[in-house]
């Protein structure tokens, strides 16, 4: 029996651009706005098609090559069956004469692929191809046309495939090595930690069944490895072809990278890429992505293919350092290089934004459902996705921003549009803390008209616009874009202060689910995912399975003390401040070592820190820490010198940091960390209350307690760790609060600093 040919799937546009692209990177505002104006003109030209033309016609075709089947897909802008004419629309700034003298090879290549697919499918001898260029400024249309035999087009496709095959051969050779290494791969340690194998088995089964699961697993059991290892094994069994590891913090991205490096030491051969924000990975002296300011942007596409092949052959882990080194060597942009490497990687490690953000998602990944449906989505520290989801789908816009168009040398049409939009925003926002069920049609129309006039104005500029005008256009576009997702059940129009409108996402469930559904399986995991009913609803995963893995650590390893007499409610903080400071002093004085003090806000942190005159080991988290300063904060705990870190719950140091052994002896948690009462949270509370749920728990109690548990999780990180935890807040004795704490916690009440110090001394002597 003949062996079935292996199929490789491609998007025509992406395939052609990847192989044949050339020129510069240019993300300047003017360039981007002209591209957006091109979208409008594109739609205008499609709207003018005669009835005989179909728009957005799906085309596909198979090209056999060296034992493989290359499957291509794409959408033609226009198609007329009677004349076998395929039309592709492109906006341009070039004149008709220059386009005749120097045709764009990418445009014609894409159209030729469409012609080949269409002609081959219908058994035609020839097809008619037309490029419809529309000038961005004049809106004049120029349409060069060509007739090709299908045989000619097939030969052209073969030439492009042959160029691509140099890369595909590397991939084919590596895939054999990869599959063999996965088959032989064993867990990288002699044994699993308690609970770790249970989680790994659950991850594998969910991928196998194509389902979702929420896994709550204690801090310190190795959740990162317990999710990646079974996913890799599932890939070896052909259950999936790739993994996206989504996280909200850079520290967690590094943990996922380190898990790959660990497996690599045990024989795994697999490609992974760590996606880093454009501004953080930039290697130019100034952060400006255009050919004038950046030598890596100028001619990037002429050189990047060579860089891709070089990096693919030399490295398995494409992290920040590897990408920057390759960028310097080949004089290409490391950020754009990373995106190219994501097409060739089995494991993609990146922020939540690249999957869930309404505009910031990775188009080349998320718009290829044929790829994502063969991938597993691993959502690390999934409890953070709730607030991040709300943030991603919320956006404000003020009348004050719009008013900048009233003065200056702006076209009269633009100024009139700005005045109309300004009036509509003011009409809906006479005072703060109002909310509207939806944005009235008249206001929406005024904002859309303003966007259209701004787009027209910006497209006609010959130089970069003012920065404030640029910012307004972006914000206006983002605001209007969110209206595409708007429904009165999950969103509201909020007025945070006079003359400001905000699209406020109350419940991100549907928008998160829409993105998650593009993947075969989704694994959410965190140390804090209970109540499961809350998270299943917030994630839009009502049918997902749940698993709670008990702590593998002896409860006796963690001494938990609570002072029930101290109230740390906002109204009582000044009164209780001396006792809070006193308990902190005795807690750390009982045993020399490193400690973390966690507070609900920077204001409270500073209040306590100013009164802690006794503490000569203070190390304070700041609101404006740089990446390097965050690293230095953590490094202090490993110097051997006593360190007392003052940090904020929910911040960079309350989760995702690993302070094993003597790096951390204990922590003090001051208050139950409920979010501050505010109008936005009150609207969230109201939304769930109207559905018959406990809205206060959804908006305040549960989010606050998750921060507490994450902070407490810094103490015990391994079976050898011992540590102490002090809880300062009367409310820790309330039944509702206790129900949200881990079942294995053994809380002892203490009623004096002296008694507490005695208990601590006995604990540390054991």
């Amino acid at each position: 029996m003949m062996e079935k040919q292996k199929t490789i799937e491609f998007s025509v546009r992406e395939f052609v651009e990847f192989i044949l692209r050339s020129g510069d990177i240019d993300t300047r505002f003017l360039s981007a706005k002209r591209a957006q104006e091109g979208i409008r003109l594109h739609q205008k030209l499609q709207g003018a098609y005669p009835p005989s033309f179909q728009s957005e016609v799906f085309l596909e075709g198979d090209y056999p090559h060296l034992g493989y089947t290359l499957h291509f897909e794409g959408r033609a802008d226009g198609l007329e069956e009677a004349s076998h004419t395929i039309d592709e629309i492109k906006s341009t700034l070039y004149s008709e004469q220059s386009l005749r003298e120097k045709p764009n090879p990418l445009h014609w290549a894409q159209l030729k692929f469409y012609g080949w697919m269409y002609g081959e499918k219908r058994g035609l001898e020839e097809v008619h191809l037309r490029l419809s260029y529309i000038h961005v400024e004049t809106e004049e249309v120029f349409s060069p046309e060509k007739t090709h035999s299908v045989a000619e087009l097939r030969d052209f496709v073969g030439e492009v495939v042959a160029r691509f095959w140099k890369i595909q051969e590397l991939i084919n050779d590596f895939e054999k090595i990869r599959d063999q290494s996965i088959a032989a791969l064993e867990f990288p340690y002699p044994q699993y930690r308690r609970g770790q194998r249970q989680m790994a088995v659950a991850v594998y089964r969910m991928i196998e069944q194509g389902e979702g699961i929420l896994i709550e697993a204690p801090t310190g059991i190795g959740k990162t490895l317990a999710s990646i290892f079974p996913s890799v094994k599932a890939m070896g069994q052909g259950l999936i072809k790739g993994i996206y590891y989504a996280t909200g913090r850079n520290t967690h991205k590094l943990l996922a990278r380190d898990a790959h490096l660990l497996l690599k030491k045990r024989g795994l051969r697999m490609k992974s890429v760590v996606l880093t924000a454009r501004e953080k990975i930039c290697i130019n002296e100034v952060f400006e992505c255009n050919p004038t300011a950046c030598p890596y942007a100028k001619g990037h596409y002429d050189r990047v293919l060579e860089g891709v092949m070089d990096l693919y052959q030399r490295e398995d882990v494409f992290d920040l350092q590897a990408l920057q080194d390759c960028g310097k060597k080949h004089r290409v942009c490391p950020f754009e290089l990373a995106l190219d490497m994501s097409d060739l990687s089995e494991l993609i490690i990146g922020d939540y934004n690249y999957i869930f953000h309404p505009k910031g998602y990775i188009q080349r990944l998320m718009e290829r459902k044929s790829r994502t449906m063969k991938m597993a989505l691993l959502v690390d520290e999934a409890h953070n996705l709730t607030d991040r989801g709300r943030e991603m789908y919320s956006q404000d816009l003020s009348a004050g921003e719009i008013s900048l168009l009233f003065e200056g040398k702006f076209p009269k049409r633009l100024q009139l549009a700005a005045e109309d939009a300004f009036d509509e925003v003011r009409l809906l926002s006479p005072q703060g803390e109002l909310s509207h069920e939806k944005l009235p049609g008249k206001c929406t129309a005024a904002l859309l008209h303003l966007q259209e006039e701004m787009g027209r104005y910006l497209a006609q500029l010959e130089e970069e616009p003012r920065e404030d005008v640029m910012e307004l256009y972006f914000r206006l576009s983002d605001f209007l874009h969110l209206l595409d997702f708007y429904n009165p059940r999950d969103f509201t129009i909020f007025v945070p202060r006079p003359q400001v409108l905000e699209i406020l996402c109350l419940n991100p469930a549907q928008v998160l689910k829409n993105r998650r559904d593009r993947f075969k399986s989704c694994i959410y995991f965190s140390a804090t995912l209970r109540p499961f009913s809350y998270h299943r609803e917030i994630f839009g995963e009502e049918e997902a399975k749940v698993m709670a893995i008990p702590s593998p650590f002896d409860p006796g390893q963690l001494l938990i003390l609570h002072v029930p007499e101290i109230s740390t409610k906002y109204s009582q903080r000044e009164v209780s401040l001396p006792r809070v400071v006193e308990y902190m002093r005795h807690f750390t004085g009982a045993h020399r070592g490193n400690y973390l003090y966690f507070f609900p806000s920077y204001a409270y942190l500073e209040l306590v820190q100013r009164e802690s005159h006794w503490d000569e080991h203070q190390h304070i988290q700041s609101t404006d820490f740089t990446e390097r300063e965050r690293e230095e904060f953590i490094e202090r705990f490993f110097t051997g010198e006593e360190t007392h870190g003052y940090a904020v719950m929910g911040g960079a140091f309350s989760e995702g940091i690993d302070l094993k052994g003597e790096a951390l002896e204990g922590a003090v948690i001051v208050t139950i960390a409920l979010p501050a009462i505010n109008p936005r949270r009150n609207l969230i509370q109201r939304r769930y209350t109207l559905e018959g749920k406990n809205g206060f728990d959804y908006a305040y109690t549960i989010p606050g307690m998750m921060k507490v548990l994450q902070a407490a999780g810094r103490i015990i990180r391994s079976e050898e760790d011992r540590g102490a935890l002090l809880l300062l807040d009367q409310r820790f004795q309330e039944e509702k609060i206790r129900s949200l704490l881990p079942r294995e916690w053994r809380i002892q009440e203490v009623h004096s600093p002296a008694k507490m110090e005695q208990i601590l001394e006995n604990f540390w002597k054991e």
Side-chain angles (χ1 to χ4, degrees):
M1 180 182 293
M2 284 188 62
E3 184 179 348
K4 185 179 179 182
Q5 285 191 329
K6 184 175 181 181
T7 299
I8 310 173
E9 299 176 343
F10 299 99
S11 153
V12 168
R13 181 178 58 80
E14 291 175 0
F15 181 81
V16 167
E17 287 181 356
F18 185 69
I19 303 302
L20 301 178
R21 60 192 168 169
S22 61
D24 311 323
I25 297 171
D26 195 346
T27 63
R28 283 176 291 193
F29 183 80
L30 193 57
S31 174
K33 291 298 124 270
R34 281 175 171 153
Q36 290 202 6
E37 179 70 356
I39 295 173
R40 181 185 71 82
L41 296 173
H42 184 284
Q43 294 169 345
K44 177 181 178 179
L45 211 54
Q46 278 187 316
Y49 278 146
S52 59
F53 263 80
Q54 305 170 57
S55 296
E56 299 297 325
V57 180
F58 176 76
L59 298 171
E60 61 180 338
D62 292 335
Y63 187 90
H65 187 75
L66 298 178
Y68 288 78
T69 296
L70 279 62
H71 180 77
F72 294 98
E73 295 180 354
R75 289 190 179 275
D77 292 330
L79 173 65
E80 186 180 60
E81 291 274 6
S83 63
H84 302 311
T85 297
I86 301 174
D87 185 47
E88 183 67 16
I89 301 171
K90 300 294 182 184
S91 60
T92 184
L93 288 168
Y94 294 105
S95 66
E96 177 178 342
Q97 181 180 349
S98 62
L99 287 170
R100 286 188 184 278
E101 293 174 354
K102 191 177 180 180
N104 188 308
L106 278 179
H107 296 167
W108 281 111
Q110 184 178 346
L111 190 50
K112 286 178 179 179
F113 265 73
Y114 290 157
W116 160 70
M117 291 191 296
Y118 172 74
E120 193 104 332
K121 195 86 168 180
R122 287 158 180 76
L124 303 177
E125 291 188 3
E126 62 180 28
V127 293
H128 196 64
L129 307 180
R130 184 175 78 193
L131 267 177
S132 291
Y133 284 109
I134 182 166
H135 199 275
V136 170
E137 295 177 353
T138 66
E139 299 192 15
E140 293 179 355
V141 179
F142 160 57
S143 301
E145 301 181 22
K146 296 180 181 179
T147 299
H148 286 279
S149 71
V150 175
E152 288 176 338
L153 297 176
R154 189 185 306 114
D155 289 343
F156 173 77
V157 171
E159 291 172 7
V160 181
V161 167
R163 293 182 63 177
F164 167 76
W165 208 250
K166 294 177 182 179
I167 295 177
Q168 189 60 46
E169 282 179 333
L170 295 177
I171 297 172
N172 294 343
D173 292 342
F174 184 79
E175 283 182 348
K176 295 173 185 175
I177 298 170
R178 180 200 67 196
D179 293 346
Q180 291 171 0
S181 74
I182 294 176
L185 183 66
E186 296 182 355
F187 193 70
Y189 295 111
Q191 60 185 24
Y192 288 86
R193 295 177 184 176
R194 280 185 289 172
Q196 194 177 32
R197 180 178 176 81
Q198 185 181 355
M199 177 176 169
V201 170
V203 170
Y204 185 91
R205 286 178 177 166
M206 289 303 100
I207 293 174
E208 185 178 38
Q209 297 166 16
E211 297 180 355
I213 189 171
L214 281 66
I215 302 176
E216 183 180 87
T219 297
I221 73 161
K223 293 188 288 292
T224 302
L225 188 59
S227 63
I228 290 178
F229 176 73
S231 300
V232 171
K233 296 299 283 187
M235 192 162 55
Q237 292 297 315
L239 300 176
I240 52 175
K241 290 189 175 180
I243 306 158
Y244 188 95
Y245 191 97
T247 181
R249 298 186 185 278
N250 284 332
T251 49
H252 296 159
K253 288 196 291 186
L254 296 180
L255 288 174
R257 179 206 62 182
D258 291 346
H260 181 191
L261 289 172
L262 175 62
L263 295 174
K264 186 175 184 294
K265 287 181 180 178
R266 299 300 188 270
L268 175 65
R269 297 299 311 279
M270 179 181 76
K271 303 295 183 181
S272 69
V273 61
V274 182
L275 299 177
T276 305
R278 189 186 292 270
E279 63 272 17
K280 291 183 178 180
I281 201 172
C282 180
I283 52 177
N284 194 31
E285 293 180 357
V286 292
F287 178 58
E288 290 187 39
C289 301
N290 64 76
T292 302
C294 179
Y296 303 99
K298 186 174 180 59
H300 165 89
Y301 294 115
D302 300 326
R303 302 182 295 269
V304 70
L305 203 55
E306 184 179 343
V308 166
M309 294 178 67
D310 178 32
L311 185 56
Y312 190 87
Q313 292 177 86
R314 285 191 299 105
E315 304 285 352
D316 282 359
V317 180
F318 315 133
D319 60 5
L320 182 141
Q321 192 63 57
L323 291 161
Q324 287 183 329
D325 289 346
C326 185
K328 292 173 183 176
K329 178 179 178 181
H330 293 276
R331 297 184 65 77
V332 295
C333 169
F335 177 79
E336 293 292 336
L337 176 64
L339 293 181
D340 282 340
M341 301 313 294
S342 73
D343 287 334
L344 309 178
S345 298
E346 290 86 11
L347 171 61
I348 305 173
I349 302 166
D351 192 87
Y352 300 142
N353 278 357
Y354 294 124
I355 300 297
F356 296 104
H357 195 280
K359 294 183 77 173
Y361 64 90
I362 307 177
Q363 290 185 353
R364 65 176 72 202
L365 175 66
M366 296 304 292
E367 292 181 2
R368 287 176 57 191
K369 199 169 182 180
S370 60
R371 183 183 182 194
T372 56
M373 285 306 295
K374 296 172 184 174
M375 295 180 71
L377 175 60
L378 309 180
V379 183
D380 182 23
E381 299 295 339
H383 64 278
N384 286 320
L385 188 58
T386 303
D387 283 342
R388 281 288 299 275
R390 288 193 179 111
E391 290 170 9
M392 284 187 270
Y393 287 85
S394 298
Q395 175 71 47
D396 63 20
L397 183 69
S398 74
E401 292 173 283
I402 297 172
S403 67
L404 70 88
L405 298 174
F406 294 171
E407 300 176 0
K409 297 180 180 179
F410 297 110
K412 186 65 176 177
R413 288 175 54 170
L414 175 55
Q415 290 185 331
L416 290 173
E419 290 171 7
D420 287 345
F422 176 86
D423 290 342
E424 291 298 325
V425 171
R426 288 190 64 190
L427 183 65
L428 291 171
S429 54
Q431 63 187 58
E433 301 185 15
L434 298 174
S435 65
H436 306 281
E437 186 173 299
K438 62 181 181 180
L439 198 66
K442 191 175 180 183
C443 182
T444 302
L447 293 174
L448 284 168
H449 180 53
L450 176 58
Q451 181 191 40
E452 182 180 359
E453 289 301 328
M454 288 195 75
R456 191 187 308 276
Y457 162 72
L458 292 167
Q460 293 174 354
L461 287 179
E462 295 299 328
E463 56 185 24
E464 290 293 299
R466 285 167 32 188
E467 188 173 341
D468 53 355
V469 175
M470 180 168 64
E471 178 66 19
L472 171 60
Y473 188 84
F474 278 134
R475 290 177 58 77
L476 175 62
S477 297
D478 290 346
F479 187 90
L480 290 169
H481 181 65
L482 285 185
L483 290 178
D484 293 339
F485 303 92
Y486 192 92
N487 68 74
R489 181 176 179 272
D490 296 328
F491 293 81
T492 192
I493 302 298
F494 176 54
V495 182
R497 55 190 182 278
Q499 299 189 26
V500 177
L501 294 179
E502 179 180 354
I503 297 173
L504 178 62
C505 179
L506 305 174
N507 177 21
Q510 190 57 51
V511 288
L512 295 179
K513 185 179 188 313
N514 288 343
R515 296 299 174 83
R516 169 268 179 271
D517 283 349
R518 295 173 186 243
F519 292 83
K520 177 180 179 180
S521 177
C522 185
I523 316 297
Y524 304 87
F525 54 98
S526 168
T528 49
L529 281 181
R530 279 183 284 188
F532 283 125
S533 58
Y534 167 83
H535 285 99
R536 286 167 99 180
E537 180 172 359
I538 294 292
F539 298 157
E541 290 277 12
E542 285 83 356
E543 303 301 318
K545 293 179 170 56
V546 298
M547 171 182 281
I549 298 175
S551 174
F553 307 125
D554 181 349
Q557 292 176 247
L558 179 63
L559 174 66
I560 307 174
L561 305 174
H562 174 225
V563 184
E565 292 85 9
I566 294 181
S567 172
T568 55
K569 291 182 178 179
Y570 186 81
S571 60
Q572 297 293 311
R573 286 179 184 174
E574 290 283 355
V575 176
S576 63
L577 179 61
R579 297 201 68 197
V580 167
V581 172
E582 183 183 17
Y583 269 99
M584 286 171 51
R585 180 168 65 86
H586 282 270
F587 182 78
T588 54
H591 179 74
R592 183 184 181 278
N594 297 336
Y595 293 88
L596 277 167
Y597 307 134
F598 288 109
F599 304 89
S601 66
Y602 285 101
Y604 198 3
L605 181 158
E606 292 171 0
L607 183 68
V608 173
Q609 180 263 328
R610 285 198 301 267
E611 296 300 315
S612 300
H613 306 296
W614 53 273
D615 193 351
E616 61 185 22
H617 307 294
Q618 294 181 5
H619 193 40
I620 316 300
Q621 179 183 358
S622 171
T623 56
D624 56 356
F625 261 3
T626 64
E627 196 79 29
R628 181 57 195 150
E629 286 171 328
R630 282 194 286 270
E631 293 172 1
E632 290 173 351
F633 186 97
I634 296 172
E635 288 169 1
R636 285 280 292 271
F637 289 85
F638 296 94
T639 61
E641 297 181 8
E642 189 169 355
T643 298
H644 297 167
Y646 290 66
V648 173
M649 279 181 278
F653 307 115
S654 64
E655 53 185 272
I657 61 170
D658 210 2
L659 302 174
K660 291 181 181 179
E662 295 182 357
L664 187 67
E665 304 286 8
V668 179
I669 292 180
V670 185
T671 89
I672 59 174
L674 300 191
I677 302 293
N678 62 66
R680 288 184 179 83
R681 287 276 170 185
N682 288 342
L683 286 169
I684 295 171
Q685 176 182 348
R686 179 175 176 271
R687 182 247 186 256
Y688 289 103
T689 299
L690 289 174
E691 288 195 350
K693 300 179 174 66
N694 188 320
F696 189 83
D697 284 355
Y698 271 68
Y700 292 100
T701 308
I702 296 172
M705 289 306 296
M706 284 193 294
K707 291 181 180 179
V708 168
L709 298 179
Q710 284 291 327
R714 298 314 96 205
I715 304 172
I716 304 299
R717 307 293 296 179
S718 71
E719 294 181 2
E720 292 75 35
D721 277 359
R722 299 181 78 238
L725 172 65
L726 175 61
L727 305 173
L728 294 176
D729 193 317
Q730 281 181 344
R731 290 169 289 184
F732 279 112
Q733 63 186 342
E734 295 177 6
E735 184 177 345
K736 178 182 290 185
I737 300 301
R738 287 287 176 104
S739 70
L740 295 172
L741 297 175
R743 296 171 187 171
E744 64 270 13
W745 275 19
R746 300 173 182 174
I747 302 176
Q748 298 182 47
E749 290 189 356
V750 292
H751 301 278
S752 72
K755 179 62 175 176
M756 179 187 69
E757 195 163 349
Q758 182 182 350
I759 294 172
L760 285 164
E761 288 174 354
N762 291 336
F763 172 76
W764 289 113
K765 286 177 183 177
E766 293 177 6

